[in-house]
Amino acid sequence: MRVFLVAGEPSGDRLGAALMEGLQTLVPEVQFDGVGGPLMQARGLASRFPMSELSIMGLVEVLPKFFHLKRRIAETAQVVLDTQPDVLITIDSPDFSLRVAKLVKASSSIRTVHYVAPSVWAWRPGRADKMAKVIDHVLALLPFEPPYMERAGMECDFVGHPVVNEPIASNQDVEKFRADHDLGDAPIILALPGSRRGEVERLAPIFGAALGSFLNDRPETRVVVPAVAHMVDAVAEQVRDWSGRPIVIDPRELPSDDAQAQKRAGFAAADLALAASGTVSLELAAQATPMVIAYNLNWLTTLIAKRMVKLDTVTLVNLVSDTHAVPECLLDDCQPDKIAAALEQVAATPAAQHQAMATTMERLGRGGEAPGLRAARAVLDRMNA
């Protein structure tokens, strides 16, 4: 069996790696091709080009790289057509992935699967109908998503999220993390300003100012900043003047499994986190780390988002648990004073989020079959139906 995968950002890399592991379990002779990051490469994928080229978000941020991305879309689709895999699996990054699938479908009958349902329940519901023209099967992370996809004419399976199957850091892991980074018994706050260059450059100054205010009466607190490999240097440059003597966690010198273990230990060691919106909220919830979510976009993308978004929360923990347990400072509210106030609120009642985080993990499949294996089984079952 030959599988072509396309992932465009670190969260997709994690999903792709878990899916690849599931496929290898069920079909040991499976062969992989495509585009992916370090986790997928560790599972045996030789990426056709660096995944980091696709880690761009926001209309204004995409425009300067439009022609390069357009070439990559055409190149990727042509490789799929030339190699004729049994299935094309695109993972999130819909602006890139679905354009590849469209070109592939226009010239072949290759089966197409998209991993991560578009958030049509949140904005642009018409996307599902357009997607159905080029995608045969959707793997959904959230339990309420399949009806939206099926209504548009696609097969869809809820498979859960791989974060629920990852280990929970032990006390020994936390102690080692503290010792390795000379943190002693100091309180720790995590800062996670994103995994894409544009969002880090946009959010880091705001996060730094908010943390400066929050830490004004907390001189003993240390700031820990986990970074993805391709952003370590950029993150280090952004945070060097922050309060809290920030420690940037660099995964580049470690095997991928060890790097993930170190990240989990850092999350578990933290008393509190300030994070950009995205999958990281689930990673924090998996380690029971209280959080504040903050995010803004370029002014033009913000204007468009305000007209389209239909929900009053975007944080996955809130959405899955059907609560507003995690405070959000989004768009116009992504300001240092408002973020600092939210951090104060969570620091005063850190246990207030625990039930929502536990509910989220349960609803996403914790305790059941590994989501990567469920996703692999769904792919194979639908292909063989």
Side-chain angles (χ1 to χ4, degrees):
M1 179 180 180
R2 293 177 300 118
V3 179
F4 197 103
L5 302 111
V6 178
E9 54 190 312
S11 59
D13 187 39
R14 293 175 67 246
L15 292 169
L19 172 59
M20 290 170 68
E21 182 178 8
L23 288 169
Q24 288 168 329
T25 298
L26 298 174
V27 187
E29 70 276 13
V30 64
Q31 299 176 18
F32 299 116
D33 194 358
V35 180
L39 299 180
M40 292 170 68
Q41 291 173 38
R43 301 290 333 165
L45 178 74
S47 187
R48 292 277 178 165
F49 55 84
M51 185 189 73
S52 58
E53 292 186 18
L54 308 182
S55 296
I56 306 168
M57 185 173 183
L59 175 62
V60 174
E61 292 79 3
V62 168
L63 286 176
K65 299 190 176 183
F66 174 76
F67 291 107
H68 176 72
L69 289 172
K70 190 173 181 180
R71 283 194 299 272
R72 285 301 196 196
I73 289 167
E75 291 170 5
T76 304
Q78 191 58 54
V79 171
V80 176
L81 293 170
D82 291 343
T83 57
Q84 290 289 304
D86 296 294
V87 61
L88 165 64
I89 303 178
T90 53
I91 307 168
D92 210 0
S93 302
D95 290 333
F96 186 89
S97 295
L98 299 184
R99 283 175 170 83
V100 171
K102 181 179 180 179
L103 292 176
V104 169
K105 275 297 189 187
S107 300
S108 76
S109 58
I110 293 171
R111 183 168 177 80
T112 53
V113 177
H114 191 66
Y115 198 171
V116 183
S119 304
V120 297
W121 34 268
W123 70 301
R124 287 173 56 194
R127 284 180 296 163
D129 293 329
K130 293 180 180 178
M131 184 173 160
K133 297 176 182 177
V134 299
I135 295 296
D136 300 308
H137 180 201
V138 179
L139 303 173
L141 303 185
L142 306 179
F144 52 79
E145 291 178 319
Y148 292 94
M149 302 296 103
E150 292 167 347
R151 195 174 301 131
M154 293 172 284
E155 299 168 345
C156 186
D157 293 294
F158 164 61
V159 297
H161 197 290
V163 71
V164 303
N165 198 51
E166 293 181 355
I168 297 173
S170 66
N171 291 336
Q172 291 79 9
D173 295 331
V174 169
E175 291 171 6
K176 183 177 186 304
F177 179 86
R178 285 183 169 276
D180 288 347
H181 298 284
D182 195 26
L183 288 163
D185 295 325
I188 295 172
I189 181 167
L190 292 175
L192 298 131
S195 60
R196 307 176 184 91
R197 183 172 298 277
E199 63 188 2
V200 170
E201 292 175 349
R202 191 169 56 248
L203 293 176
I206 299 170
F207 279 26
L211 290 170
S213 176
F214 176 71
L215 297 175
N216 190 46
D217 297 323
R218 297 175 173 85
E220 74 284 2
T221 299
R222 299 297 304 276
V223 175
V224 172
V225 191
V228 295
H230 69 277
M231 288 299 299
V232 171
D233 294 334
V235 168
E237 176 67 21
Q238 288 285 342
V239 309
R240 64 179 180 176
D241 296 325
W242 282 11
S243 302
R245 293 172 291 155
I247 298 171
V248 177
I249 305 302
D250 185 348
R252 291 177 296 187
E253 301 302 319
L254 295 174
S256 60
D257 287 347
D258 292 345
Q260 288 298 307
Q262 177 180 237
K263 183 178 178 181
R264 289 192 295 268
F267 280 25
D271 302 280
L272 177 62
L274 170 59
S277 178
T279 307
V280 71
S281 71
L282 298 182
E283 297 179 72
L284 291 165
Q287 305 299 328
T289 307
M291 71 193 87
V292 170
I293 297 297
Y295 205 78
N296 71 359
L297 297 160
N298 181 281
W299 70 270
L300 179 57
T301 312
T302 295
L303 184 64
I304 295 169
K306 285 181 178 180
R307 292 176 176 272
M308 292 184 172
V309 175
K310 301 185 295 182
L311 297 178
D312 60 355
T313 181
V314 301
T315 300
L316 290 171
V317 172
N318 289 345
L319 288 167
V320 177
S321 66
D322 195 23
T323 69
H324 288 81
V326 177
E328 297 172 318
C329 297
L330 307 174
L331 303 180
D332 294 341
D333 290 329
C334 187
Q335 301 175 21
D337 58 336
K338 294 185 177 182
I339 295 171
L343 290 170
E344 293 283 0
Q345 172 194 333
V346 176
T349 57
Q353 295 180 22
H354 285 171
Q355 184 56 56
M357 291 190 287
T359 298
T360 297
M361 293 298 103
E362 178 185 354
R363 290 181 178 174
L364 291 183
R366 176 173 278 175
E369 186 176 58
L373 184 59
R374 289 176 62 179
R377 198 183 306 282
V379 169
L380 296 172
D381 286 349
R382 294 286 190 175
M383 286 179 67
N384 298 326

